[in-house]
Amino acid sequence: RNFVLAAVMQHSGALAHADPELRADPTLVLMAAREDVGVLQYASSRLLDHRKFLLSAVRQDVVLLQHVRPSLLADRNFMLAAVALDDNALEWISDKLREDRIFILE
């Protein structure tokens, strides 16, 4: 783990070659994402379904929403939480939520 962490800190793309268990490590993936938001594409699918992890990532950099599954971008509760962290999250909301006047007013 320490070797991969050191490699990721030098080059975030090293996460692509990490063991699947390490690509599911939220701390490691968030550290890599600080260097390059694109590394979320290498995170485990389990991690990409984990709302708490994703909101931590949004808190770090809202641009990470570009790697979130469309179903979450259409999820009212998830997107309300994301917008509460960073208003710029509105840029990634689904068309369905964009047309929902109640959501927009919340």
Side-chain angles (χ1 to χ4, degrees):
R1 183 177 193 273
N2 289 338
F3 173 77
V4 173
L5 180 57
V8 165
M9 294 312 293
Q10 290 293 317
H11 178 64
S12 57
L15 189 64
H17 307 289
D19 182 84
E21 183 178 320
L22 294 174
R23 292 194 325 237
D25 181 320
T27 303
L28 182 68
V29 174
L30 282 176
M31 291 177 93
R34 284 188 191 122
E35 300 298 318
D36 176 8
V37 297
V39 300
L40 272 188
Q41 66 185 317
Y42 307 122
S44 73
S45 59
R46 186 184 77 201
L47 202 53
L48 292 176
D49 288 331
H50 193 275
R51 291 169 184 248
K52 186 176 178 180
F53 165 78
L54 291 171
L55 290 173
S56 293
V58 168
R59 184 177 294 115
Q60 184 173 298
D61 189 343
V62 72
V63 174
L64 295 170
L65 283 174
Q66 68 187 350
H67 300 288
V68 171
R69 299 187 195 293
S71 60
L72 281 175
L73 297 177
D75 182 282
R76 168 186 235 91
N77 292 330
F78 177 78
M79 289 309 295
L80 281 173
V83 170
L85 293 170
D86 190 322
D87 292 343
N88 292 316
L90 287 170
E91 184 177 333
W92 285 276
I93 64 170
S94 69
D95 290 339
K96 178 183 172 187
L97 286 179
R98 194 175 309 277
E99 294 169 5
D100 182 339
R101 290 178 50 187
I102 295 171
F103 173 83
I104 297 299
L105 292 175
E106 287 183 65

